[in-house]
Amino acid sequence: MKSKVFDMIEKERQRQENNIELIASENFVSDDVLRAVGSCLTNKYSEGYPTQRTSGNRGRYYGGCENVDELEEYCCSLWRQVFNTDYHVNVQPHSGASANLAAYMSVLKHGDTILAMSLDNGGHLTHGSPVNFSGKLFNMVFYDVDASGRIDMQDVRAKADACRPQLILAGASAYSRTIDFKAFSDIAKSCGAYFMVDMAHIAGLVAAGDHPSPFGLADIITTTTHKTLRGPRGGIIFCRPELASKIDSAVFPGCQGGPLEHVIAGKAIAAAEACSPEFAEYIHNVVKNCKAMCDEFISMGYHVVTGGTDNHLFLLDLTETGLTGKDVQNELDKHRITLNKNCIPGETRPPQLASGVRIGTAAMTTKGYTASDFVKVAHKIDDIIRSMK
Ligand code: PLP
């Protein structure tokens, strides 16, 4: 039975080795991250926080935590270094969704109003989708994008003035443009709302200086560690020091039990890697490659949402081809090109079909692809799409 499992893992290893991976939220971690995540730390229970923690809650509910205490504190200090910040850090969230749940629970009450970006426009499920806890627990109001697909800051201001939200959220899963955190922060201040940034997708770009930083502007910042940050699957929350206790209590015991110390070790390794000049160089290449590939699609006549990209991803609007995102995703799968169908602004199809596909360059840049490799892949995708019409 065990060998069957290892066979399945091996098959997945080969798939990852052989396919062209364009899913914007995926990446390939280093052997050191894999080693840390596969370590004996998976055996350890450590509910609570390191006893020597200098901000937020402290103290564990189990014995034998001296090593994981040291690890978790070190991990937090490394992440502060990555973003050059003195914000409080909580590295325990199991995922981006858990980080967002805890962030909301730390400062909001059931029924409070959140102003965010809807899923159709590029937001995430946890940004208020009616099928998610966020849409069920809170009163969601969504700001719009303009005709080109860019966030409409006038609409953000008008909606904030009208609904007086308790929290304004910036950040997205499928948005290819720079987000103006300063403008969001000014609006949040003017209506007395908390300002939260979910930088899950662009965190690597923020670390490398390729996207403006939300630190110093946002009250709470959440991220995943497995996308452009190239770490293990997981979440992190940063907050202003005065919110440290609320955030820590919301994570544990509010939303989670024991932290995954093996994943925290992986997060520490990823942070150490993200501090290096090689990581900044890698992210610069991700952005350069993304622009090259996106420009190639535009020159072949494709409609790209917002007309281009400033980051690691872009969205192809397939409406004019008559094909759904699902059709294209499935056909590309047969040619070992992996991406995901995605809703586009003003979407008319259900999300299971969708009218667009999302393309990202973080994973294949890790594998050494250059701008000219991505241009070749754009032509390969175009050939496949043409053959489907
Ligand atoms: N926030 C954003 C902006 C995301 O794009 C994602 C995942 O794609 C998440 C949160 C959730 O992360 P996870 O899948 O780890 O729960």
Side-chain angles (χ1 to χ4, degrees):
M1 278 187 283
K2 278 200 216 170
S3 68
K4 200 166 166 180
V5 176
F6 284 114
D7 285 349
M8 291 171 189
I9 294 173
E10 175 55 20
K11 272 200 242 160
E12 173 57 13
R13 194 195 62 73
Q14 287 175 17
R15 190 196 66 80
Q16 292 186 14
E17 196 168 297
N18 297 329
N19 284 26
I20 296 174
E21 182 55 72
L22 300 175
I23 293 180
S25 46
E26 292 190 10
N27 215 323
F28 299 105
V29 300
S30 67
D31 288 346
D32 286 341
V33 169
L34 277 185
R35 192 149 62 97
V37 175
S39 70
C40 64
L41 289 162
T42 196
N43 300 329
K44 187 70 197 107
Y45 240 113
S46 55
E47 281 180 358
Y49 290 98
T51 27
Q52 72 272 35
R53 199 167 173 83
T54 49
S55 58
N57 303 350
R58 67 179 78 169
R60 302 279 194 186
Y61 289 81
Y62 291 86
C65 285
E66 60 275 19
N67 301 318
V68 293
D69 272 5
E70 199 183 336
L71 168 71
E72 204 173 314
E73 276 297 273
Y74 186 51
C75 183
C76 291
S77 74
L78 286 174
W79 281 108
R80 271 191 287 271
Q81 224 174 296
V82 170
F83 294 106
N84 191 22
T85 180
D86 57 2
Y87 273 36
H88 174 71
V89 191
N90 188 309
V91 292
Q92 292 194 1
H94 300 330
S95 66
S98 311
N100 286 347
L101 173 62
Y104 300 149
M105 299 306 275
S106 70
V107 292
L108 300 179
K109 299 187 304 297
H110 189 193
D112 276 354
T113 299
I114 301 177
L115 179 60
M117 194 179 199
S118 69
L119 193 61
D120 280 7
N121 285 340
H124 185 254
L125 210 59
T126 57
H127 298 182
S129 164
V131 298
N132 181 260
F133 65 79
S134 51
K136 293 180 199 289
L137 292 179
F138 302 106
N139 172 40
M140 296 303 309
V141 177
F142 297 111
Y143 46 82
D144 278 325
V145 291
D146 64 19
S148 77
R150 287 179 190 250
I151 295 169
D152 180 347
M153 290 311 300
Q154 281 182 352
D155 190 60
V156 179
R157 176 165 288 285
K159 296 228 168 96
D161 286 344
C163 75
R164 311 298 294 178
Q166 277 70 43
L167 185 144
I168 298 182
L169 175 60
S173 295
Y175 187 70
S176 62
R177 294 301 188 170
T178 298
I179 300 176
D180 188 347
F181 293 135
K182 173 77 173 67
F184 269 103
S185 146
D186 289 345
I187 295 169
K189 260 193 210 129
S190 75
C191 65
Y194 285 105
F195 176 38
M196 170 174 158
V197 170
D198 176 351
M199 63 171 185
H201 263 269
I202 52 166
L205 281 69
V206 170
D210 283 318
H211 190 289
S213 175
F215 288 92
L217 296 169
D219 300 301
I220 302 172
I221 300 167
T222 57
T223 186
T224 54
T225 40
H226 47 274
K227 299 184 175 81
T228 51
L229 283 174
R230 211 162 53 177
R233 309 197 71 78
I236 300 184
I237 306 178
F238 299 88
C239 65
R240 292 193 191 279
E242 57 272 27
L243 293 176
S245 253
K246 283 183 196 280
I247 287 289
D248 283 357
S249 313
V251 175
F252 174 85
C255 301
Q256 290 186 177
L260 310 176
E261 294 294 347
H262 55 306
V263 179
I264 288 174
K267 287 172 181 170
I269 300 279
E273 291 173 356
C275 287
S276 70
E278 290 78 23
F279 182 80
E281 185 65 26
Y282 155 70
I283 291 290
H284 302 333
N285 285 331
V286 168
V287 175
K288 187 176 78 182
N289 294 343
C290 195
K291 190 161 169 32
M293 192 182 196
C294 181
D295 286 349
E296 198 63 20
F297 274 110
I298 292 169
S299 70
M300 288 190 287
Y302 283 85
H303 178 215
V304 170
V305 176
T306 76
T309 180
D310 302 324
N311 59 26
H312 64 299
L313 66 80
F314 59 94
L315 280 177
L316 284 188
D317 175 351
L318 298 166
T319 311
E320 282 172 15
T321 67
L323 300 166
T324 67
K326 182 184 177 192
D327 294 334
V328 171
Q329 176 189 311
N330 289 346
E331 191 59 26
L332 290 176
D333 260 340
K334 293 182 199 154
H335 293 81
R336 294 180 177 271
I337 298 176
T338 316
L339 48 62
N340 65 284
K341 58 183 174 284
N342 215 100
C343 292
I344 54 167
E347 182 62 73
T348 52
R349 295 187 167 107
Q352 296 86 346
L353 294 178
S355 301
V357 288
R358 187 181 64 163
I359 297 180
T361 51
M364 292 312 289
T365 302
T366 294
K367 282 202 177 171
Y369 267 38
T370 61
S372 73
D373 294 321
F374 280 103
V375 165
K376 279 188 208 137
V377 176
H379 283 278
K380 198 166 167 187
I381 292 174
D382 175 52
D383 288 345
I384 294 165
I385 290 178
R386 280 172 191 279
S387 73
M388 295 170 70
K389 287 194 216 160

